[in-house]
Amino acid sequence: MSILNYAIPPILQLETTTACNLGCPFCLRTKLCRSDEYLSFDAFCQIIDGTHGRFVTLHGWGEPLMNPDLPRMIRYAVRHKKSVNFTTNATLIADQVDALLTSGLDAIAFSLPNIQRCTPQIADNISRFVKEREKRNIKKPKTYLNIAFMEENLDQIDEMLTMAQGFGVDTVIFERSFPWTESLQAKESTVIEGIQNAAKRLGLEIKLPPDHSIPCPLMRYTLFVRWNGDVAPCCYRADVPLGNILSDSMVRILQNRAKFLKAQKTDPVCGRCKT
């Protein structure tokens, strides 16, 4: 096995909370989280100080802005030369605009599952954030609209891209939902062709999901750490313990991670994953 499997991945994904103010039926949060928990600021600092990844992603199975320390966490990570980003449902961002725009945040993604769930409040919050960044004449944070392919939104893609154009976001990012079913896989090429045509017509920059592989890029390049320090192969395999970053040595965690990588093709979940 390559020595790269024992190196600390460049992306540190930290779950700042398992709490969320929405209850989307397609989200796995209720299956993976027993209660609302929060990553403490002290634990966050310990994790940042003890890892060497260049990129820090502050989201997991919860709404990051539910953690009141989020802007403070961003500033701390930025002071330690990290590139920080997170994904939000945009419901709570109105009161955090200034704190986020002055935090050093590199990128923010607004998650849009479907048209119906983009309420007037959410749409207004996204538009106001983008406009305030433009008003201040600053280039960061980069703004993204994040869309996961699901059965319920495949016929809404064109409308969602038009909405993205109205928001003025920098890029629209598409990803596959989990689990990626045979039905969705059969429709993917047609949907992507429609996205490319619509994006060209609207003048939008898009980013499409990469081809699936095992080990998947998510596992290869990301270290997923839960709110309590538990390390898992990825956010979808939060049930698999690789150690605790607050109490175990990084050597032990990476050894366990390397073992999981080696057996990933035969894992009952990862071996069938097409996300």
Side-chain angles (χ1 to χ4, degrees), residues 132-197:
E132 182 61 27
R133 188 197 66 171
E134 293 174 351
K135 180 181 176 181
R136 299 187 186 199
N137 195 29
I138 54 178
K139 296 182 178 180
K140 292 184 179 181
K142 292 292 185 181
T143 55
Y144 303 99
L145 198 67
N146 192 81
I147 301 173
F149 294 136
M150 295 178 288
E151 291 285 2
E152 64 185 80
N153 69 14
L154 292 185
D155 62 346
Q156 301 176 350
I157 298 297
D158 196 89
E159 189 176 355
M160 294 165 87
L161 286 170
T162 301
M163 184 175 287
Q165 183 191 46
F167 292 151
V169 294
D170 296 310
T171 306
V172 181
I173 299 176
F174 290 92
E175 60 183 29
R176 300 179 184 92
S177 60
F178 180 89
W180 190 242
T181 64
E182 294 294 333
S183 174
L184 286 166
Q185 188 172 9
K187 301 172 184 176
E188 181 176 324
S189 60
T190 300
V191 172
I192 286 179
E193 183 179 357
I195 289 171
Q196 292 171 325
N197 291 336

Side-chain angles (χ1 to χ4, degrees), residues 18 22-35 61:
T18 60
L22 297 181
C24 302
F26 47 79
C27 181
L28 298 178
R29 174 179 164 271
T30 55
K31 297 179 181 179
L32 297 172
C33 308
R34 297 180 180 178
S35 58
W61 293 110

Side-chain angles (χ1 to χ4, degrees), residues 204-218:
L204 281 173
E205 182 177 316
I206 60 171
K207 183 177 180 181
L208 296 168
D211 292 337
H212 178 75
S213 63
I214 295 179
C216 66
L218 186 63

Side-chain angles (χ1 to χ4, degrees), residues 22-137:
L22 297 181
C24 302
F26 47 79
C27 181
L28 298 178
R29 174 179 164 271
T30 55
K31 297 179 181 179
L32 297 172
C33 308
R34 297 180 180 178
S35 58
D36 293 347
E37 306 291 351
Y38 298 84
L39 175 67
S40 72
F41 183 71
D42 287 344
F44 174 83
C45 294
Q46 183 179 338
I47 294 169
I48 293 296
D49 293 346
T51 55
H52 305 287
R54 174 71 180 88
F55 303 96
V56 177
T57 296
L58 297 178
H59 60 255
W61 293 110
E63 166 51 46
L65 287 168
M66 294 284 285
N67 190 320
D69 284 324
L70 185 70
R72 187 181 175 198
M73 290 174 174
I74 295 170
R75 290 193 296 270
Y76 185 88
V78 170
R79 286 200 302 270
H80 285 71
K81 310 300 182 184
K82 310 294 185 182
S83 173
V84 187
N85 70 86
F86 73 94
T87 298
T88 175
N89 61 31
T91 56
L92 304 174
I93 202 167
D95 295 331
Q96 298 282 1
V97 173
D98 184 68
L100 293 174
L101 290 177
T102 58
S103 66
L105 183 70
D106 264 333
I108 183 169
F110 306 108
S111 179
L112 181 61
N114 56 39
I115 293 296
Q116 289 76 16
R117 294 185 182 277
C118 187
T119 64
Q121 178 198 8
I122 290 175
D124 186 61
N125 285 350
I126 297 173
S127 295
R128 285 176 178 269
F129 186 90
V130 174
K131 288 178 181 177
E132 182 61 27
R133 188 197 66 171
E134 293 174 351
K135 180 181 176 181
R136 299 187 186 199
N137 195 29

